[in-house]
Amino acid sequence: MIAPELMDPFHRALREKLLGVISDRTEALASGGAAQGAPDTPTVAEKYAALVSYIAALRGVLDLCDELDRERYGQSKED
């Protein structure tokens, strides 16, 4: 995921942190993490869906950061 240049230092720091978490979660999932993850769900398919939903939610947060940054500072150089 190529990030646009964010102006706000908080949003840049949050983006970096979230990209690391997304990367770690995606790698774990690709390595069979659904079989061990989300212990409150009974089937592997439900565990997989829960883990994928978490990654999607984090990506949604990244999109909101981009939106807030644009609203506050205008279009980035890369838009």
Side-chain angles (χ1 to χ4, degrees), residues 21-72:
V21 172
I22 289 169
S23 178
D24 292 346
R25 295 281 181 133
T26 301
E27 187 175 320
L29 190 59
S31 300
Q36 295 88 24
D40 56 334
T41 55
T43 68
V44 172
E46 289 172 325
K47 290 177 184 180
Y48 177 82
L51 294 171
V52 169
S53 293
Y54 183 78
I55 292 169
L58 292 178
R59 288 187 175 164
V61 171
L62 291 176
D63 291 342
L64 288 173
C65 286
D66 294 345
E67 181 182 325
L68 289 170
D69 202 77
R70 278 192 305 275
E71 287 174 3
R72 175 168 277 188

Side-chain angles (χ1 to χ4, degrees), residues 2-6 15 66 70 76 78-79:
I2 297 174
E5 183 62 35
L6 297 175
R15 173 175 281 287
D66 294 345
R70 278 192 305 275
S76 73
E78 297 181 16
D79 281 347

